[in-house]
Amino acid sequence: MERNPVGKLLLFGATGDLAKRMLLPSLYGLHADGLLPEGLTITGSARGDLTDDQFRDAVRKALDEFLPADRKDESALSSFLQRVFFQPVDLSDPSTFQALADKIGDVSGGLAIYLSTAPSLFEPAVKGLQSVGLAGETVRIGLEKPLGYDLESSREINDTVSAVFPEDRIFRIDHYLGKETVQNILALRFGNSMFEPIWNAQGIDNVQITIAETVGLEDRAGYYEGAGALRDMVANHMLQLVALIAMEPPALYDGTAIRDEKAKVFRSMRHLTPEQVPQNTVTGQYEEGAVGGKVVKGYDAELGYDSDVETFVAIKAHIDNWRWQGVPFYLRTGKRMAKRRSEIAIQFKPVPHSMFSGRGGVLQPNTLIIRLQPEEYIQLLVMTKEPGLDRDGLKLREVPLNLSLDAEFAGKRRRIAYERLLLDLIEGDQTLFVRRDEVEAQWKWIDAIRAGWAANQTKPKHYAAGTWGPAGAIALTERDNVTWQDD
């Protein structure tokens, strides 16, 4: 696509944790590799009253803490800091925006804004920007999640932003879409002819998507208590993975074609009725257990009070269209799980007839595993013959065919997902950002599940920290003679 780089970047929330851990290291990495537009300035903004030099000192400290040792270069760091400025703004106080506009100066060369703030501040932020001329045709805006907590609140946020910025200048961020392996789903599906003929209900038995974390609340208690696992992980990251697996082949690799196909998937997802929710969803909350050999507290103990918020959810989902009719998509995510893992397992249907008997063993259906983290690899499980003279017949065994992206591309630097997304924001490429109709279709599906939980007065079942969740999650798949990929 034609890229249209801006000359200035405005970063709200510049002193926050996300900026320190991800955004500033990503921008430095782009700068060090010569990928930022020449002359691009980066203006940070937050409520703290810092001078440019004080902010540069804070940036240097953050980079020293969060950059890997092999990426630290004093010359690159010094030149990067010359791009960096700071202007305090209180987003709830309209009078503070004029000083920001004066600091930013002329935006005829293009301005990209990254709004990493609480959603409650989106409305005063965009109105304040508009009031001082920082929302014109040369300005685009990136929005960090969460974008609401249900369909109604999401629409309110989108209405607020779209009243000032048109859709083609709004970049809704889901950092999972910036991950290398997530984009490899598109390369795997549409760059190889072998998969497409069986990538459908005739060839695939089920799809499993797991995002498991070993951490607990950390410093997110306030946010997580108002969100829970369904809103925090399923409503964005997991449904985006579903869409990439299930979408029809786009005509082109561009923002419109890809997002058109993803939106069709979300509109085709079967909405669960309150009567169907108990049979198709499982909720859980971790209690005391052992993770990594250490005893950890339960969720309620970490909070300091009793809560009914789910830290685990498993869902059996269906996509009602020609390609996927009858194929279950099993989604599972949780905190304080047995292992940290994000992966997609696509289990193909078994062969229609086995000619092997006796010592041949039981044929296992082929499974394609796409591991997103902590390692990055693609693995295809296939049946093969064990070595031997085979006097009593062939003996078969399942073995993996591995493509390790870490090993295969060892000479290539593995980039932070935010590096790609920030560069795309700066250059105006919307391909890996989420469109409004996608967001609203996702929330409609999520809201139906939450309505079912409320109607059935569903409470999360407890599971010990360090396990794979409540027993009901196992039963969810076992009823269909399917087993979670937990190896």
Side-chain angles (χ1 to χ4, degrees):
M1 65 161 290
E2 182 180 348
R3 295 182 179 270
N4 180 28
V6 297
K8 298 179 179 182
L9 175 66
L10 172 58
L11 182 62
F12 284 106
T15 59
D17 187 65
L18 179 65
K20 293 176 183 177
R21 290 177 177 271
M22 294 293 177
L23 305 183
L24 293 170
S26 295
L27 289 167
Y28 166 82
L30 294 171
H31 168 84
D33 292 337
L35 296 172
L36 291 182
E38 185 177 354
L40 176 84
T41 60
I42 302 168
T43 302
S45 184
R47 294 184 68 177
D49 192 9
L50 303 177
T51 65
D52 290 341
D53 287 339
Q54 287 173 329
F55 181 57
R56 288 169 184 150
D57 288 341
V59 172
R60 178 184 285 273
K61 183 178 179 181
L63 295 179
D64 184 61
E65 182 177 358
F66 295 111
L67 275 178
D70 63 346
R71 292 295 292 165
K72 295 177 182 177
D73 179 274
E74 184 56 38
S75 175
L77 178 57
S78 296
S79 57
F80 174 69
L81 292 176
Q82 292 174 15
R83 295 180 180 267
V84 172
F85 303 89
F86 187 83
Q87 178 61 42
V89 171
D90 181 351
L91 294 179
S92 62
D93 183 357
S95 67
T96 62
F97 280 86
Q98 186 57 55
L100 175 65
D102 295 340
K103 184 84 169 192
I104 296 293
D106 181 26
V107 294
S108 60
L111 170 67
I113 300 169
Y114 193 110
L115 196 57
S116 178
T117 66
S120 60
L121 295 174
F122 283 5
E123 181 172 7
V126 296
K127 287 184 176 179
L129 291 165
Q130 183 184 38
S131 70
V132 294
L134 295 180
E137 293 182 357
T138 61
V139 182
R140 61 185 68 126
I141 190 165
L143 306 175
E144 183 65 52
K145 79 173 189 76
L147 295 178
Y149 53 88
D150 58 12
L151 177 61
E152 183 179 358
S153 60
S154 175
R155 280 178 170 165
E156 289 176 1
I157 290 171
N158 281 314
D159 287 346
T160 293
V161 178
S162 63
V164 178
F165 294 90
E167 185 65 31
D168 63 358
R169 291 195 277 119
I170 300 173
F171 291 66
R172 298 175 189 83
I173 293 156
D174 183 334
H175 76 268
Y176 254 64
L177 294 179
K179 290 180 177 291
E180 198 76 49
T181 324
V182 171
Q183 294 159 66
N184 240 319
I185 296 171
L186 297 178
L188 186 72
R189 284 196 59 192
F190 305 125
N192 299 283
S193 61
M194 69 182 77
F195 291 115
E196 182 58 25
I198 57 172
W199 204 271
N200 51 46
Q202 284 69 50
I204 292 176
D205 181 82
N206 68 83
V207 178
Q208 301 176 26
I209 301 178
T210 294
I211 300 180
E213 301 177 281
T214 55
V215 297
L217 283 179
E218 295 182 299
D219 58 352
R220 303 177 71 218
Y223 163 73
Y224 201 84
E225 183 65 8
L230 183 66
R231 288 169 170 153
D232 183 46
M233 295 299 291
V234 180
N236 39 76
H237 304 327
M238 299 194 82
L239 289 184
Q240 286 293 321
L241 295 179
V242 169
L244 293 176
I245 291 295
M247 66 194 282
E248 295 298 317
L252 297 169
Y253 183 82
D254 70 21
T256 299
I258 287 177
R259 296 190 298 176
D260 281 349
E261 298 303 337
K262 287 197 297 174
K264 290 177 186 176
V265 173
F266 298 134
R267 289 195 292 268
S268 299
M269 293 189 73
R270 183 184 304 171
H271 287 206
L272 296 176
T273 65
E275 293 76 22
Q276 295 169 329
V277 165
Q279 289 75 43
N280 291 278
T281 70
V282 176
T283 66
Q285 184 187 100
Y286 66 83
E287 56 186 5
E288 182 179 305
V291 177
K294 297 181 179 179
V295 175
V296 297
K297 296 179 179 179
Y299 181 79
D300 287 347
E302 286 190 77
L303 279 178
Y305 56 87
D306 291 344
S307 169
D308 288 331
V309 168
E310 80 283 357
T311 64
F312 173 95
V313 63
I315 304 170
K316 179 182 176 181
H318 284 91
I319 299 171
D320 289 331
N321 62 19
W322 189 287
R323 182 183 291 264
W324 296 109
Q325 191 62 43
V327 178
F329 282 67
Y330 300 103
L331 314 181
R332 174 179 62 168
T333 185
K335 290 188 174 294
R336 292 294 191 207
M337 302 281 279
K339 294 179 182 178
R340 175 175 175 257
R341 175 182 299 171
S342 296
E343 74 176 24
I344 302 162
I346 299 161
Q347 183 175 304
F348 295 94
K349 289 189 173 178
V351 296
H353 168 73
S354 175
M355 69 180 191
F356 306 102
S357 60
R359 292 186 63 218
V362 178
L363 291 184
Q364 300 296 327
N366 302 130
T367 302
L368 179 67
I369 299 174
I370 304 169
R371 176 69 61 86
L372 310 177
Q373 63 183 26
E375 313 92 346
E376 290 185 301
Y377 64 72
I378 298 169
Q379 182 182 83
L380 180 62
L381 302 180
V382 299
M383 298 302 296
T384 188
K385 172 189 171 298
E386 285 194 5
L389 296 177
D390 313 317
R391 298 180 69 199
D392 297 320
L394 295 180
K395 188 174 183 180
L396 305 183
R397 189 177 71 182
E398 186 180 60
V399 298
L401 299 178
N402 287 317
L403 169 61
S404 170
L405 300 179
D406 293 334
E408 187 67 28
F409 301 105
K412 299 284 187 178
R413 187 168 72 82
R414 312 303 288 171
R415 293 190 177 276
I416 305 171
Y418 279 101
E419 287 185 58
R420 183 184 309 276
L421 297 177
L422 282 165
L423 186 60
D424 285 351
L425 171 63
I426 290 167
E427 295 185 337
D429 184 350
Q430 290 186 306
T431 303
L432 299 179
F433 296 83
V434 184
R435 206 167 58 190
R436 176 171 182 164
D437 58 339
E438 292 182 67
V439 175
E440 295 189 354
Q442 289 171 315
W443 277 122
K444 287 179 183 178
W445 190 77
I446 293 292
D447 286 354
I449 293 174
R450 294 196 63 85
W453 288 349
N456 291 281
Q457 298 182 323
T458 302
K459 305 294 183 185
K461 303 293 186 183
H462 285 102
Y463 62 96
T467 66
W468 285 108
I474 299 174
L476 183 69
T477 58
E478 294 289 351
R479 286 195 294 267
D480 301 330
N481 294 317
V482 173
T483 301
W484 290 106
Q485 288 285 333
D486 286 340
D487 294 337

